[in-house]
Amino acid sequence: MRKTIFLILFSLLCSSQSFLYSAFEAQEIRVTLSTESPLTPVYLTLASENPGFSQSYIDSLKAVLNFDFSYNGETQLLSIDSEKEKLLQRCDQQTAFTPAYWKAGGIQYVIKAMVQEKKLSAMIYCLQEDKIKRFQEIPLSGSLDKDRKQIHKLADGIHKAIFQKEGIASYQILYSQQKPRKDKEWGSEIWECDWDGANKRQVTKENSYSINPIILSSTSDQFLYVSYKLGQPKIFLSSLQKGEGKRVIHLRGNQLLPAISPQKNQIAFICDAANGRADLFVQAFDPSKGAVGKPIQLFSYPESVQASPTFSPDGKKIAFVSDKDGSPRIYLIPSTTTGKRSIPTLLSKTNRENSCPSWSPDGKKIAYSAKTNGVRQIWIYDFEKGQESQLTTGPGNKENPEWAPNSLHLVFNSVDDEGSNLYIMNLHQAKPIKITDGEGKSHYPSWGRKSNQF
Amino acid sequence: MKKYTSLVNTLCLCASLLFITSCEKNKSGTWDDNNSTASKSDANSWINESDLQSADGKDSFAFADEEFMPLRDDDLKTLSFNEGFPQPKFGPGEAGSGIPGLQHFREPAGILSEIFRNVYFNTDEHVIRGKENLTLIYKMSAYLKEHPNTYIEVQGHCDERGLEEYNQALGIRRAQHVRTLLIQHGVDLNQIHTTSFGKEQPVALGHTPQDWAQNRRAHFKIYEKN
């Protein structure tokens, strides 16, 4: 009897151990999966030797470089360590870049930037290949606004050397900033800033209400926007240098929410010219000539409102908002018509109140805003998986997401008790980074020109 | 006798306004309901384009081919009471309009400030409700018919809770609804221009239901041609 009890207890113990082991194993797998990071561990330092600038200036430059590598969606900056800093101070390259030492810390790349005699230089040490790449010296001006651009340029150069693709630190962001006017109404102008929110610059000075800026391309300084300077909202084309727009589309009524095709040969917009209804229109366009031919009424539906068009990368499809079936949702249609309304495909099915879609340049995703448990959050529709997933969480109504040229980063605006501010985030790092924090309401952001181009 | 006739006319106009808006109310309690299949297939809510010619024939609805390539779907050839009329052929300030741009339209002053007062909307609605709002519409239509050289801008505004971009388009509906009511009561469609501001121009900056109610409005500006 005792033997039987012992055997039962023994087998129970074994099975529980095996269960515990399985559970532990499963837990281990979960941990392994959850710690898989798309980010590459990098150690970054910016040293100075006879820099020709104050230490506080060097610290400002360091902060800019740190921002670029902290939020580029590809690198994970490791904490500054005094021992590593001391090692990197050494001029003896072989000692500074001892592979065994750096590999032990799980580091893949060491980036050493140096300010010396008002010049910025940099080198990357790749541990895997045990190779060093040096970057040409860049002269610094001592003006932080100007030197920021040099830092961003260097960051993008390093990014390309490591990942063989363009970084986005040199891209500008266009947005609208609303402020109260003396006449008790609200004014709004188009502004431009660096991707980290620095170097803010007012572009339009029309003393009117201007919103929804869209750059024609990252190598162009021309942009479309909506202005109320004639009373009704109309679509204008302007340049970042002149800041005063010319009307693009000569059509009666309200013209709103322009989008430009990646080929720059079509403008989609919303207009009530036909019958007072907010319809989707398309206008053939040539950046050097303006509108070409007549606008085309692309989609209209009885008693419904259309809004927020965005083009597919090949310009052949348009995603837009319609409330034709009740709550506003995202639909897809071809960007051409034979004179009959195309049957739109419903894209966003998970939530109600979907708005402001933005098609990623790689064509694989659409970002949009959707009311989620009472708060507007950014969602992504993934064409490859055919699934919608929530990107942002937390308080603040988030709207107007716009993809960066790398199809990894988004800029959007969020409204909370402090007002409306711009944020950037990327698909690899969950935390949105606030980039504006000033007076006025900042909203309707879009990625602008690449500053290196000018 | 003249007073009696005027009273009867007033009552008739008020009754017809109430009839129109109550029709809308019955079939469109909320924004979503307005877009339900049932409301769109309600044959009683549709009217023919040919019935909507302006009184003096200055504008017509056969404009579309001149300006843009229109869709030719049958369900777009008729207009409902819930929807608007086409904008005047020439926008304010454009050659042919005979009036300056909307930036020259002014806030109504004097007696006009009593007539062209804001009208307010319920949440998620674009139709006007309430005796006070309807009386204002009646007074406006009476004034505009008596003063054919007076032009108005109807601005459609929303409260802060809606979607930013979508509300820009939604503001069109509020302004167009007011314009439709005025045209239905005999005002020349060329006298009325509409502008959508979405939620871009709030007058009440708080975040209470009272503030939101003040911001869901149609606001009016005036231009009197000499």
Side-chain angles (χ1 to χ4, degrees), chain A residues 3-20:
Chain A
K3 267 187 183 175
T4 315
I5 292 169
F6 175 76
L7 278 170
I8 292 168
L9 282 171
F10 182 75
S11 62
L12 274 172
L13 189 65
C14 285
S15 64
S16 68
Q17 271 184 331
S18 123
F19 171 75
L20 282 171

Side-chain angles (χ1 to χ4, degrees), chain A residues 2 55 57 63 77 91 93 111 124 143 178 181 185 190 199 216 224 258 271 358 360 373 389 412 415 424 426 437 448:
Chain A
R2 274 185 185 173
Q55 186 56 45
Y57 192 73
L77 283 192
C91 296
Q93 196 173 290
I111 302 167
I124 318 169
S143 156
Q178 182 205 54
R181 286 195 323 211
E185 291 190 354
I190 307 302
N199 274 337
L216 292 197
L224 295 169
C271 185
S358 170
S360 63
N373 298 323
S389 58
F412 59 86
V415 182
I424 55 161
N426 66 76
D437 198 5

Side-chain angles (χ1 to χ4, degrees), chain A residues 317-386:
Chain A
K317 284 183 181 172
I318 291 176
F320 68 106
V321 172
S322 176
D323 61 9
K324 72 183 192 68
D325 299 318
S327 184
R329 292 181 194 272
I330 318 287
Y331 295 84
L332 296 183
I333 54 164
S335 62
T336 53
T337 176
T338 53
K340 285 279 186 182
R341 184 175 57 221
S342 300
I343 297 170
T345 308
L346 175 63
L347 198 77
S348 59
K349 297 171 184 169
T350 307
N351 300 289
R352 291 166 65 83
E353 293 198 26
N354 307 148
S355 182
C356 42
S358 170
W359 209 315
S360 63
D362 65 7
K364 294 177 181 173
K365 307 168 283 279
I366 285 183
Y368 58 94
S369 174
K371 201 167 191 176
T372 316
N373 298 323
V375 181
R376 299 190 200 291
Q377 303 288 1
I378 306 300
W379 282 66
I380 308 279
Y381 181 87
D382 185 321
F383 282 100
E384 288 176 337
K385 295 176 186 166

